[in-house]
Amino acid sequence: MKLELKNIHKSFGEKQVLTGVTFTAEGGKAFGLLGRNGAGKTTSIRILMDVFPADSGQVLLDGKPMDYRKVGIGYLPEERGLYPKKIILDQLVYFAELKGMTRKDAIAAVDHWLERLGMAEYRNKRLDTLSKGNQQKIQLVTALAHNPDIVILDEPFSGLDPVNAMLLKDVVKEQIALGKIVLFSSHQMSYIEEFCDHIAILNHGKVALAGDLRQIKHDYPRDRLVIRCDAPEKIMAEYGDACKATENGDLLLQLASPGDKQAVMAHLVQTYDVDEVKVFEPSLNDIFVEYAGKEI
């Protein structure tokens, strides 16, 4: 499957929220939709889900306009939307039935996911008796029980402890392996970096950067070296202002030119007791700060 948002425009009154937003997500891969608060992520997701229409532009699946009667979408919203006073099983089955499942199939699917997420013992309890993290897992069941083709996860790791975060990681990997389109929206860059092959960064309703994450990183100027050693002072003395210590104790050396890297690396290894030297590659957090923070 290939999902495309093409040249999406959306305004609310006089406020232009999206201006020509275009990106592509593919089945069997995770896609990261990033941006600061107010950048247009939620509006893009709601248009994708047909909550409301775009002013112009298209939402395509495999090159054709999305037929929402035939395509299943699972959505985990950032703002949780279940009923705190209702029995968990009843409301999960209700939401699955709204997605077109029979009651029998809905109960079977819900019980499967409750078991998978370690929540089976809570099936007949009220939601408000659970911790925040466990409520998050119950909400996840509403996104997955009906076996959707497209899974949209908005801040999915919010409120989860490390054990439950690992469980969710396994579930996400399973969904990707099944060939589904998995779309992440999150400010937790480490998770996006771990899962997503492609990203789009929105800034003031426009796509500031989009593409293959590995290629984006590789395309950055390769004119800095990361050096790890036990005695950094000597290297810093040789290179002066071009060499600075980082927060984790490594050195970051700015080269005069990317073409100097092989010669400088060889010199460092031959001259100093260096544990590691490599070309600096920006983290997704570095890229996000650069593209989401600037004016466009």
Side-chain angles (χ1 to χ4, degrees):
M1 292 186 296
K2 183 168 74 171
L3 171 69
E4 298 174 87
L5 269 67
K6 297 188 69 173
N7 199 29
I8 299 294
H9 290 254
K10 183 66 179 178
S11 295
F12 296 102
E14 298 296 320
K15 183 175 177 58
Q16 184 82 24
V17 179
L18 299 179
T19 307
V21 168
T22 297
F23 61 79
T24 301
E26 297 184 10
K29 298 179 180 179
F31 181 91
L33 183 62
L34 310 176
R36 298 170 66 186
N37 293 332
K41 303 187 302 298
T42 300
T43 300
S44 298
I45 289 172
R46 287 175 177 171
I47 289 172
L48 163 60
M49 295 176 59
D50 200 34
V51 174
F52 47 66
D55 296 335
S56 62
Q58 294 179 295
V59 179
L60 305 176
L61 188 65
D62 294 331
K64 300 178 181 179
M66 178 92 80
D67 186 344
Y68 291 95
R69 298 168 300 176
K70 298 179 180 179
V71 178
I73 298 177
Y75 179 45
L76 176 68
E78 180 178 6
E79 298 297 330
R80 311 313 176 206
L82 295 181
Y83 301 105
K85 303 297 183 183
K86 298 295 183 181
I87 298 299
I88 288 169
L89 177 66
D90 293 343
Q91 56 182 314
L92 290 179
V93 170
Y94 169 71
F95 282 115
E97 289 178 306
L98 287 179
K99 295 292 186 178
M101 301 187 78
T102 66
R103 181 168 181 80
K104 179 181 178 180
D105 289 343
I107 293 172
V110 166
D111 278 335
H112 163 77
W113 279 108
L114 289 175
E115 184 71 32
R116 176 71 179 84
L117 297 173
M119 300 297 292
E121 64 184 287
Y122 303 110
R123 73 193 294 270
N124 293 313
K125 294 185 179 296
R126 291 188 345 189
L127 187 69
D128 61 2
T129 64
L130 274 58
S131 67
K132 181 180 179 181
N134 282 338
Q135 289 186 33
Q136 170 79 334
K137 291 197 289 182
I138 295 300
Q139 182 87 51
L140 179 62
V141 176
T142 68
L144 300 176
H146 59 291
N147 192 27
D149 307 293
I150 301 170
V151 180
I152 301 171
L153 304 172
D154 195 349
E155 296 294 353
F157 294 96
S158 175
L160 296 183
D161 61 47
V163 173
N164 281 322
M166 185 65 68
L167 177 60
L168 179 55
K169 286 182 184 182
D170 291 340
V171 170
V172 171
K173 289 175 183 177
E174 291 168 5
Q175 297 297 301
I176 294 170
L178 289 170
K180 299 183 179 185
I181 295 171
V182 178
L183 191 150
F184 276 94
S185 178
S186 179
H187 291 117
Q188 295 174 285
M189 296 298 143
S190 60
Y191 291 121
I192 298 292
E193 199 155 15
E194 179 176 352
F195 285 110
C196 295
D197 301 283
H198 289 72
I199 63 166
I201 297 177
L202 300 185
N203 189 346
H204 295 294
K206 300 177 182 179
V207 176
L209 179 70
D212 182 281
L213 181 55
R214 287 173 296 182
Q215 189 62 47
I216 289 170
K217 289 183 175 184
H218 187 77
D219 288 345
Y220 265 69
R222 303 177 71 77
D223 59 355
R224 286 177 287 179
L225 298 179
V226 177
I227 306 158
R228 183 170 300 162
C229 59
D230 289 332
E233 296 81 6
K234 294 180 180 179
I235 299 176
M236 295 179 72
E238 176 178 351
Y239 289 97
D241 292 341
C243 187
K244 300 184 182 299
T246 64
E247 292 182 358
N248 65 1
D250 294 342
L251 298 178
L252 186 63
L253 175 60
Q254 177 69 55
L255 303 174
S257 164
D260 295 340
K261 63 177 179 289
Q262 295 296 340
V264 174
M265 291 170 76
H267 169 72
L268 289 168
V269 171
Q270 293 167 6
T271 308
Y272 303 102
D273 183 13
V274 173
D275 295 324
E276 182 181 17
V277 57
K278 62 183 179 180
V279 176
F280 170 78
E281 188 175 80
S283 68
L284 179 56
N285 191 73
D286 297 327
I287 296 168
F288 179 84
V289 169
E290 177 178 350
Y291 282 91
K294 66 183 181 181
E295 294 296 324
I296 60 172

